[in-house]
Amino acid sequence: MRFADIGQQLRAYRLESGLRAEEIAARLGVSRAALYRYEKGEVIKLDTIRRLAELLKISPLSLLGIGVEYFSRPVAFQERLRQVEEQADQILMVGGALCYQVSTDAFEGALAEAWTEAADAAADRVPARSMADQALGLLAARKKLHQQRRPNIIGILSKAALRRFLQDGVAAGIPLTERSRSRCRAAAIAEAESIATLMESVPIGLQLGLTAGPDPSGAFIVLRGRDRAHVVGSPFPPDAPPTAGLGVAMITAADEAISVHQRVAEAAWRDALKGATAAARVRELIAATRAD
C-alpha cells in the first residue's frame, strides 16, 4: 500500500464529508494529531482504513485508490485534483472556458471579490468566509504547483462555455452587486484576450485550441504522471463557488477509462481550431460580447 496516497485521499474525503478533523478523530478514538499524521502518509492499519471508510461513508477501496472516486463538494474535489496534478507531467483538457493554471491576475482578483462578497452576505458568514478562503487557497496552491513543475498542457476549450463565460463573467450565478458583476464581466473579457494571445504565441509546454465542431457534452481531463494516469470528469468549473449546487465530480485511474478519454481527446485536438485561427475566433466572441 502507498500510505502517502492513502493519506492524500483521506484528506480529500474528509473535506467531502463536511466533518471537522476533531469529529472524525473523536469517533475513530484517536487524537487529531494522529489523524493529521495519517493524512501525511503515516502507516495506517487496514482495520483503521475500514473504520475511516465507514465514518466517511465511502468504500474502503476508495481510500486505497481503487475504483472511482466521487466528490459532490467543490472544495474536496479541488483538493483531490491538486493532489493528482502534483504527480502529473502531462495534462490534456477537453471542455471548459479557460485553463486555470495559466489564468490571469484579473480572473483571480474578480473571483476573490465575488466569493468574498457572497460569503459576507451569507446567513452563516463566518463558516462561509472560511470556506471561501479555503477554496481560494486551494486554487492558489494549484497555480503555484504548475509554476514549479511546468507540466505540458494541451487544452481544447469549448466555444459555448467561453461564450457563456464572456456573457456572465467570472463566478456566474452568484448574486453580486452591480459593481462586482461588472468587474467579473471585465475580468472574463481580459481572460479571453489572454487566451487568444496564448493561442497565437504558443509558449513552451502550452497549447490551447478551440472546438471546431460540436461542443463536448461534459468537460474532462487526462493527467499522466511517471507511474500513474488519471481521468477527471467534473461539472465544477474553476470559478464554481465553494457551496456550488448539484453536481458530482469523478476521478479514476482505471485503464479503460483513461484509454477511451485519451482517444476522444486526441480526436478533439486533431479537429480543433488552433493558432491564429483559434485566436481570431476567440476575438470574434469578445467583439460580439462587447457589442451586446
Side-chain angles (χ1 to χ4, degrees), residues 135-280:
L136 289 167
L138 285 171
L139 287 176
R142 286 181 58 202
K143 183 168 285 190
K144 182 178 180 181
L145 179 66
H146 170 73
Q147 292 167 348
Q148 292 171 340
R149 300 191 72 254
R150 295 288 178 183
N152 290 320
I153 296 178
I154 295 176
I156 306 125
L157 306 183
S158 157
K159 287 197 303 292
L162 186 55
R163 186 181 296 110
R164 289 193 299 271
F165 179 62
L166 287 166
Q167 290 171 346
D168 300 333
V170 175
I174 298 179
L176 298 172
T177 62
E178 187 53 40
R179 176 180 175 278
S180 294
R181 180 49 61 196
S182 295
R183 183 181 176 188
C184 285
R185 290 194 180 98
I189 290 174
E191 188 64 34
E193 289 172 338
S194 174
I195 288 169
T197 299
L198 290 171
M199 286 172 165
E200 287 176 327
S201 60
V202 193
I204 294 173
L206 176 66
Q207 299 179 76
L208 295 179
L210 193 67
T211 51
D215 274 343
S217 56
F220 66 86
I221 312 172
V222 180
L223 302 101
R224 292 188 175 276
R226 184 172 301 176
D227 302 319
R228 204 174 189 189
H230 290 83
V231 168
V232 177
S234 170
F236 307 125
D239 57 345
T243 54
L246 294 176
V248 178
M250 73 87 188
I251 299 177
T252 181
D255 289 341
E256 61 272 27
I258 293 163
S259 176
V260 70
H261 283 82
Q262 181 80 28
R263 185 168 65 250
V264 170
E266 288 175 355
W269 178 250
R270 188 168 54 247
D271 297 338
L273 302 176
K274 307 176 188 72
T277 304

